[in-house]
Amino acid sequence: MNALWLIIIGILVFIAAYATYGSWLAKEWGIDPSRKTPAHEINDGVDYVPAKPAVLLGHHFASIAGAGPINGPIQAAIFGWVPVLLWIVIGSIFFGGVHDFGSLFASIRHKGKSIGEVINTNMGHRGMQLFSVFAWLTLLLVVAAFTNIVASTFVSVPAAASTSLMFIALAVVFGYAVYRKGMNLTVGTIIGVVLLFTMVWVGNVFPLSLSLNTWIIILMVYIFIASTVPVWILLQPRDYLNSFLLYAMIAGAVVGIVIFRPEIQLAPVTAFNVNGQWMFPMLFVIVACGAISGFHSLVGSGTTSKQLDNEKDAKIIGYGAMLIEGVLAIIALITAAYVTQGELAELLKGGPVNVFSNGVGTFMSKFGIPFGIGKSFVALAVSAFALTTLDTATRLARFIFQEFFDKPDAAKQNPLTNMYVSTGITVLIGGYLASGGYARIWPIFGSANQLLAGLSLLAVAVWLKKTGKNYHMITVPMIFMIVVTLTALVFLIRTNFVAGNYILVIFPVALFILAIILAIEGYNILFGNKAVETKK
């Protein structure tokens, strides 16, 4: 099997899905381009700020992509390339795309509030509190895991560190020039992209080497600042410019595959049980961001919905970004599938990003990019997106924390709703967990993240039912994801208990109980006799 067919068929299927299924979803849900969005209704200059579709797509895509669609397919390749490919394509179109589009749409119809607030309005305050605790715990795991990943990447690739720091400074200047000095976006983009790629070169010339703990402390300070400053000064411009790195990386990989036409070496299906890992449920937990990810619902209902300029943009940003991520996931799968098992095992010693960087660097070399430069560029791009995911997750955790303690009718504001207090608590706990190491956190994060997707679909389905809209396209993905991830959590609890890792048993047990209670609440509303509760 030639990898060229995988990427061509994948792209064509995604384009067809966007034009047909995506348009059908927009019609069924009643997307209204004439309706004013929360970004215009509230526009506080900090979190609610209208953004041009291209800018917001860049932010959303950069935030949801991270390292997830790269790590997952490469790790799941142990089951063979066919099940991974099928899950990426089917998952992106019928699971992840529906999940992301629905979450974003539900949020903009609830004043840009989080999925937790959607639950509060449609399922009651208790459901909202349970979901908020679940989502906040999941985001703590995201902050911890990505703090460790970014710090480790900066230690192993010092050029990525210096380049990332320069990106931050460039983004601030870009945001000030475009949003406060009125610089034309096209002109600013051309200048910004040229400077961005120049910084990639400068970063290679002047790498910055620091210890792991030093980087963790620096990153904790950075995410505290980045998640409290107005979105226009850093988050919007940085993610927008970073998205060009990702677009360039995807384009370079696709062109390289077209020229190279590598043959797939990996077996179509290896086994259903590989080293104690069963294809069900682990395939659907390991391949998260490339098919469906609960973190996407927090991004869509957290930062993205507050910046949406027009409701019609929800389709390209919510559904379209998920399909683009599916393309990235297929490329990641190819980088693991075109080498022999022995070569893959050797490359995996440097981690999934090493496999991906090596593969895309090889593809790029087929049209003249030196392998070393291509591989370094890919590693830099991936680390930039991991950093984007990190500070977006911190801002989202702050939103959820504030909403949890917010009592609009209270005579005195709870100090825990203060932006700096809620951010500080999140950063301190996330940083503490990060010091324990990435490998111990990731398995719990994977299960929690996918279970979050199931619960977010549940919230959207309840809201659609309440408003009289068609919600049946959500039913199958919702039930499947909840069953898959509850099963995975049971496996995880058992494994950690047998191994004596009792602290790591507590987290999945808490998540399991919270999810069961929420699932029962939602089931009774969707399929039972319980009336849909309306927030007063």
Side-chain angles (χ1 to χ4, degrees):
M1 181 74 178
N2 195 292
L4 178 62
W5 290 111
L6 299 189
I7 196 69
I8 288 178
I9 292 172
I11 290 174
L12 291 177
V13 170
F14 285 146
I15 291 174
Y18 180 80
T20 56
Y21 195 58
S23 297
W24 181 75
L25 291 174
K27 183 180 177 182
E28 288 294 304
W29 292 343
I31 295 292
D32 183 2
S34 64
R35 190 176 179 128
K36 190 176 282 188
T37 63
H40 289 283
E41 281 185 326
I42 301 173
N43 199 343
D44 61 2
V46 178
D47 297 317
Y48 290 83
V49 180
K52 295 183 183 298
V55 175
L56 189 54
L57 177 63
H59 156 66
H60 185 78
F61 185 38
S63 297
I64 66 171
I70 295 168
N71 286 11
I74 292 173
Q75 290 179 312
I78 57 174
F79 298 114
W81 64 268
V82 170
V84 179
L85 179 67
L86 289 175
W87 174 231
I88 290 171
V89 174
I90 296 172
S92 295
I93 295 172
F94 297 106
F95 288 64
V98 175
H99 169 269
D100 292 11
F101 193 4
S103 301
L104 175 58
F105 182 49
S107 177
I108 58 178
R109 288 297 178 93
H110 288 78
K111 299 186 181 301
K113 295 287 187 178
S114 70
I115 287 294
E117 186 59 30
V118 174
I119 292 176
N120 187 29
T121 303
N122 301 285
M123 293 173 60
H125 191 63
R126 190 170 78 111
M128 176 265 194
Q129 287 183 312
L130 290 170
F131 182 85
S132 295
V133 172
F134 186 97
W136 190 68
L137 290 174
T138 304
L139 285 168
L140 284 181
L141 294 171
V142 175
V143 171
F146 279 83
T147 297
N148 204 283
I149 288 173
V150 174
S152 300
T153 303
F154 286 174
V155 170
S156 58
V157 188
S162 48
T163 303
S164 295
L165 294 179
M166 287 186 284
F167 280 175
I168 294 169
L170 173 62
V172 171
V173 174
F174 180 88
Y176 183 75
V178 172
Y179 292 106
R180 287 297 180 268
K181 289 300 179 182
M183 176 183 279
N184 179 275
L185 180 61
T186 303
V187 174
T189 300
I190 294 171
I191 296 173
V193 170
V194 170
L195 289 174
L196 187 151
F197 282 95
T198 302
M199 287 173 179
V200 173
W201 174 78
V202 175
N204 275 283
V205 177
F206 300 102
L208 180 58
S209 297
L210 297 172
S211 69
L212 179 69
N213 288 335
T214 302
W215 276 123
I216 288 177
I217 293 171
I218 291 174
L219 288 170
M220 289 172 64
V221 173
Y222 165 73
I223 58 177
F224 179 88
I225 296 171
S227 60
T228 52
V229 298
V231 292
W232 61 265
I233 191 66
L234 179 59
L235 185 140
Q236 278 185 358
R238 194 221 36 218
D239 292 358
Y240 174 61
L241 291 174
N242 270 352
S243 67
F244 286 94
L245 275 180
L246 192 52
Y247 297 147
M249 184 178 72
I250 293 175
V254 171
V255 172
I257 291 171
V258 170
I259 297 172
F260 184 26
R261 300 185 180 185
E263 287 292 330
I264 298 296
Q265 305 293 328
L266 183 67
V269 179
T270 56
F272 286 93
N273 183 350
V274 181
N275 301 325
Q277 294 196 73
W278 290 89
M279 188 183 295
F280 181 91
M282 297 315 296
L283 169 66
F284 309 99
V285 171
I286 295 173
V287 182
C289 295
I292 180 172
S293 165
F295 178 65
H296 294 190
S297 71
L298 301 183
V299 175
S301 68
T303 52
T304 305
S305 61
K306 294 176 177 60
Q307 303 171 66
L308 197 76
D309 186 50
N310 190 296
E311 265 197 15
K312 65 179 172 59
D313 301 334
K315 180 187 167 189
I316 180 66
I317 294 169
Y319 195 73
M322 182 63 238
L323 299 183
I324 299 172
E325 194 175 87
V327 174
L328 179 59
I330 293 176
I331 293 171
L333 172 62
I334 292 173
T335 62
Y338 91 102
V339 295
T340 63
Q341 280 195 319
E343 290 171 327
L344 178 60
E346 188 64 28
L347 288 168
L348 275 173
K349 291 178 181 176
V353 173
N354 185 50
V355 177
F356 184 77
S357 304
N358 187 79
V360 176
T362 301
F363 303 154
M364 288 181 172
S365 70
K366 304 305 176 184
F367 56 88
I369 303 293
F371 171 76
I373 292 178
K375 183 175 180 178
S376 296
F377 166 72
V378 175
L380 287 169
V382 174
S383 65
F385 288 103
L387 187 60
T388 298
T389 301
L390 174 60
D391 60 41
T392 298
T394 307
R395 185 179 288 263
L396 295 174
R398 187 252 290 177
F399 289 157
I400 291 172
F401 195 91
Q402 287 178 293
E403 285 180 4
F404 184 84
F405 290 102
D406 185 32
K407 301 286 188 295
D409 300 329
K412 187 177 179 182
Q413 186 185 39
N414 188 327
L416 293 175
T417 63
N418 180 277
M419 177 170 68
Y420 302 105
V421 173
S422 56
T423 304
I425 292 172
T426 300
V427 170
L428 285 175
I429 298 177
Y432 171 75
L433 291 172
S435 64
Y438 149 83
R440 299 177 67 190
I441 298 166
W442 192 259
I444 304 173
F445 159 70
S447 300
N449 181 48
Q450 296 303 74
L451 190 50
L452 186 63
L455 297 177
S456 297
L457 285 168
L458 172 65
V460 176
V462 169
W463 168 66
L464 289 173
K465 180 180 181 181
K466 174 187 172 183
T467 53
K469 300 179 187 296
N470 184 0
Y471 66 94
H472 295 294
M473 69 289 284
I474 292 178
T475 307
V476 171
M478 175 188 72
I479 294 173
F480 183 79
M481 293 313 301
I482 290 175
V483 170
V484 160
T485 47
L486 285 178
T487 307
L489 277 177
V490 171
F491 283 9
L492 200 57
I493 292 168
R494 176 177 166 276
T495 301
N496 282 309
F497 185 81
V498 171
N501 297 325
Y502 300 120
I503 294 178
L504 295 182
V505 172
I506 296 173
F507 238 99
V509 166
L511 294 171
F512 186 90
I513 293 172
L514 287 169
I516 287 289
I517 297 172
L518 268 171
I520 292 173
E521 291 267 333
Y523 178 86
N524 289 333
I525 294 174
L526 274 178
F527 307 112
N529 297 320
K530 182 177 179 179
V532 178
E533 184 177 342
T534 302
K535 180 183 178 182
K536 298 180 179 177

